[in-house]
Amino acid sequence: MLEASIFATVLCGFLGTIFKKNLVMKIISMDIMSTGVIAYYVLVSSRDGVFTPILSLKNDVSYADPVPQAVILTAIVIGFSIQALMLVGVMKLSKDNPTLETQVIEENNTP
Amino acid sequence: MTNLTVAWMAIPFVLGFIIYLIPQTARFLALGVALLSTGYALQVFFTASPVEIQLLDSFGVSLAVDQLSGFFIITNAIVTAAVIFYCWPTGKSAFFYMNAVFLHGSVNATFICADFISLYVALEVISIASFLLMTYPRTDRSIWVGLRYLFVSNVAMLFYLVGAVLVYKAHHSFNFAGLEGSPPEAIAFIFLGLLAKGGIFVSGLWLPLTHSESDSPVSALLSGVVVKAGVFPLVRCALLLEELDPIVRFFGVGTAVLGVAYAVFEKDTKRMLAFHTISQLGFVLAAPAVGGFYALTHGLVKSALFLIAGILPSRSFKELHYKPIPTSIWVALIVASFSISGFPLLSGFGAKVLTSKNFLPWQVVGMNIAALGTAISFAKFIFLPHSKDTTESHSKKVQWGFWVAMALLLGGLIAANGVYYQAYTLKNIVKPLITIALGWLSYWFIFRKLNIKLPRTVEKIDHLMGVMSLTLLLLFWIVWTRSHFSILF
């Protein structure tokens, strides 16, 4: 069930990147897609248990897998920095294309 | 070797920041980084056995360095050095060199990593660094081209991440070897990411606009080495796992034919070179075992051609027929075009022979068509008029940096002949000569007069994304049917 919702999120985001006309909306759709991917990593790490993997006095608990969490932390940072970079680019573009319609920008800037 | 590798990998990033802090040192440090990589690559060639490094216990970063990586690393080193020489007298700011060095470091990292997450990080750093290089002129067009690139590659990398976690789910490890026994969707997702990143087959149609609209030194970097960062992991996987080998070869043939089909009809120099890059990557993939040498020759020749195209008086082939180019530039152009068409005495010949020895029977027809198409498309350059008169007003001024870069790249092409000197037998020499002759004839009698303009609709961003989903379906179908068969038999 959870897995299905996660893939639905990824799919929604991906369809958004295709069908949304506005450049900012496209970037937000991409963010939704990456939210889905991140959630999937969290789901995979919680397969064997949901306890925070920190050594404590309680011994007989099933810990969550720390590796995917550590990995996705890197991916979150990278994803957010790329989005920041893209939004700066969009800001620059918006001076000459205030509506930010992808089609218009594309027509203006393709030889 | 472990310490040396780690130090070599970290140095570009440290020096990159130093460049930004002390801008006066920019060009020297950037050149130093390229020299260091050359030294390291030579060291790799002289180390007989492949080096496997596992940093920080079993879940840490794993690296693998062998001869194959050596070829890719030395390509990266020479191309970066040539581009830095080219830019030396042009007064680019320290910001440009910083990004070039970051790009160099992250491309190097992709050539030695052996697990999916280090690869992911390296590929994303490449995206950021090349975006900043593309948008260096700060014009609207360059920003749009950069945004488009970043958008496509980031979405592809999100698919890749899903694939990586599926591999982890199956094996509790991110190692490349984990692809074996992973579910078919894992392989499909990961391959989609790498194909889109490497500019291969239909998912690589973002590449022509990006490479042709960037500055020529940046195009040289992008076409010479950056696309190889997506191709190298595919080659590695194909060599590691036998069942992936036919898939990679199939995409190799597909992209070789597709790229060349566009290239023969193209009327714009830089776009033709960009389409031709798509096609040449196919040669690297079509014979994974010897892909390293082909990647080396292609990297050198393509960056040389992009640098030359940047100083030609016009970008359109039609106009170039009326504006003769200076003879000295024409000679460089001829040497590069001959090498890429596979003419003997240049290393493009050795690479083509070596690659064609490793084709499977079903690949031969497709690859011969691609080789013929290469000869046709480069006949456009070879038959350009030239004149001794260099004082013509419309030819741009050529700076000394250009000649140093040419000496480096074309010298490398001639020197690389030594890698596979066994190619020089009579039978091997005759075949490329026939191909080239056929190519020139068909150019002169057919393609010179044709005036077909292929539609560019597929290069719109919506279509690029849509094609990505189609490629995903195709990949999934291929992998799934193959695994199905292996259960049956």
Side-chain angles (χ1 to χ4, degrees), chain A residues 26 30 41 65 86 96 106, chain B residues 140 154 161 168 461-462:
Chain A
K26 272 191 196 286
M30 196 180 79
Y41 270 73
D65 190 346
M86 288 178 80
D96 292 329
E106 198 153 43
Chain B
D140 263 12
N154 199 35
L161 269 181
Y168 182 82
I461 188 161
D462 303 342

Side-chain angles (χ1 to χ4, degrees), chain A residues 3 7 14 17-18 23 26-27 30 33-34 37 40-41 44 47 65 67-68 71 74-75 78 81-82 85-86 89-90 92-93 96-97 102 105-106 109-111, chain B residues 59 117 120-121 124 128 131-132 140-141 143-144 147-148 150-151 154-155 158-159 161-162 164-166 168-169 172 174 209 213 456 459-462 465-466 469:
Chain A
E3 205 166 345
F7 277 112
F14 181 63
T17 61
I18 299 178
L23 198 52
K26 272 191 196 286
I27 293 176
M30 196 180 79
M33 197 177 155
S34 81
V37 175
Y40 194 46
Y41 270 73
V44 168
R47 256 182 324 164
D65 190 346
V67 178
V71 161
T74 324
I78 294 177
S81 54
I82 286 188
L85 201 59
M86 288 178 80
V90 171
K92 288 251 179 196
L93 279 181
D96 292 329
N97 307 281
T102 318
I105 301 177
E106 198 153 43
N109 293 305
T110 332
Chain B
F59 286 116
I117 292 305
Y120 168 76
V121 174
E124 288 290 42
I128 296 177
F131 171 78
L132 291 174
D140 263 12
R141 179 180 288 184
I143 291 176
W144 165 246
L147 270 182
R148 179 174 168 272
L150 205 53
F151 196 78
N154 199 35
V155 171
L158 285 175
F159 280 119
L161 269 181
V162 176
V165 79
L166 285 170
Y168 182 82
K169 212 172 158 185
H172 282 276
F174 283 111
L209 182 70
E213 292 310 314
R456 291 186 188 175
E459 288 176 41
K460 284 197 175 157
I461 188 161
D462 303 342
M465 311 303 291
S469 60

